[in-house]
Amino acid sequence: PHNSFTLQVLCRYRHIWNIDLRFRPAFLGGIMQQTGNKPPAMLPKRGEYMLKDMKRMAKYYQVPVHMSANDFQRIIGTSSLTAMRFITAMDMTNPQYLEPLSREFWIRFWSQHEDISQPEDILTVARQAGLSAELSQKTLEMISSSTVKDRLKETTAEAVKHGAFGMPAVVAHYDGKPHLFFGSDRLELLGSVIGE
């Protein structure tokens, strides 16, 4: 859910802060594997804290998140690889759909508690994001291509190179150098670094 808090806030502040916001699809599973990280909820006490924290953040950011302890298993057991390849293919062909697609994937998985791993789920999300059936089908057919797979691997490796060890990872290119921020609770620091 922290990805959504970050997405919502950056979209809200994009024009206020006058930033060029670019979505870069990366595969969380790959980042976790490459850095040796583990889902935070695997530590029971941290899982308890996260549930409380998400409720507070949902209220603060006015984002519709509903979670219980049972949801952690659902999250860990769902692969986002197909969805991320679909988003990557869209980034390569029609990047204007990245923002609505990201929002709709989030709403389906976190707010409606529906699956996002199967082709039919992806086509439903695409329709809700405003894509035509033809474009959705064409994009879905691209996800098994080596071009799309390689592109997702590249953006994932790039995130790790910038120091990412999980999501959300925001890289601000400011004053000639990149600044990595992890987590939605670091957005105030991001604002501070860019003078906002």
Side-chain angles (χ1 to χ4, degrees):
H2 289 262
N3 284 321
S4 180
F5 298 138
T6 303
L7 173 75
Q8 300 278 2
V9 174
L10 288 178
C11 288
R12 287 172 195 172
Y13 277 80
R14 164 173 34 198
H15 301 301
I16 299 167
W17 285 356
N18 194 28
I19 54 175
D20 178 15
L21 182 60
R22 296 184 187 179
F23 295 90
R24 298 297 305 278
F27 180 47
L28 177 58
I31 291 174
M32 301 289 270
Q33 188 178 27
Q34 289 176 47
T35 59
N37 197 358
K38 287 186 170 53
M42 286 179 79
L43 183 67
K45 281 292 172 192
R46 192 165 178 193
E48 283 173 30
Y49 173 80
M50 278 180 70
L51 273 179
K52 291 175 187 168
D53 203 40
M54 282 175 201
K55 286 174 185 170
R56 290 188 292 231
M57 290 179 79
K59 188 178 176 185
Y60 180 76
Y61 287 123
Q62 297 180 330
V63 173
V65 179
H66 313 288
M67 276 196 70
S68 68
N70 296 335
D71 286 316
F72 287 133
Q73 283 309 116
R74 177 180 69 91
I75 294 156
I76 291 167
T78 301
S79 172
S80 64
L81 183 57
T82 308
M84 293 314 301
R85 283 179 178 160
F86 185 85
I87 292 174
T88 299
M90 192 57 64
D91 185 28
M92 296 168 77
T93 56
N94 294 273
Q96 71 271 23
Y97 286 113
L98 277 186
E99 187 177 325
L101 255 185
S102 300
R103 284 181 190 276
E104 291 299 335
F105 269 117
W106 184 88
I107 288 167
R108 183 172 175 83
F109 190 67
W110 292 104
S111 198
Q112 298 170 344
H113 294 197
E114 299 280 350
D115 198 2
I116 57 164
S117 63
Q118 300 305 311
E120 57 269 25
D121 303 317
I122 289 166
L123 291 174
T124 299
V125 168
R127 186 175 66 249
Q128 288 169 335
L131 278 75
S132 68
E134 187 185 2
L135 178 57
S136 301
Q137 195 59 49
K138 192 175 164 188
T139 308
L140 193 62
E141 285 163 13
M142 289 176 66
I143 66 173
S144 55
S145 71
S146 57
T147 315
V148 169
K149 290 178 180 177
D150 290 346
R151 172 72 170 266
L152 182 56
K153 283 177 190 166
E154 282 163 24
T155 53
T156 302
E158 192 179 343
V160 172
K161 186 189 79 181
H162 279 305
F165 50 87
M167 287 290 184
V170 177
V171 179
H173 296 273
Y174 183 76
D175 218 11
K177 55 180 186 265
H179 304 263
L180 174 82
F181 296 91
F182 173 74
S184 50
D185 58 346
R186 290 294 177 266
L187 294 170
E188 293 89 344
L189 296 180
L190 166 61
S192 174
V193 163
I194 63 173
E196 295 287 355

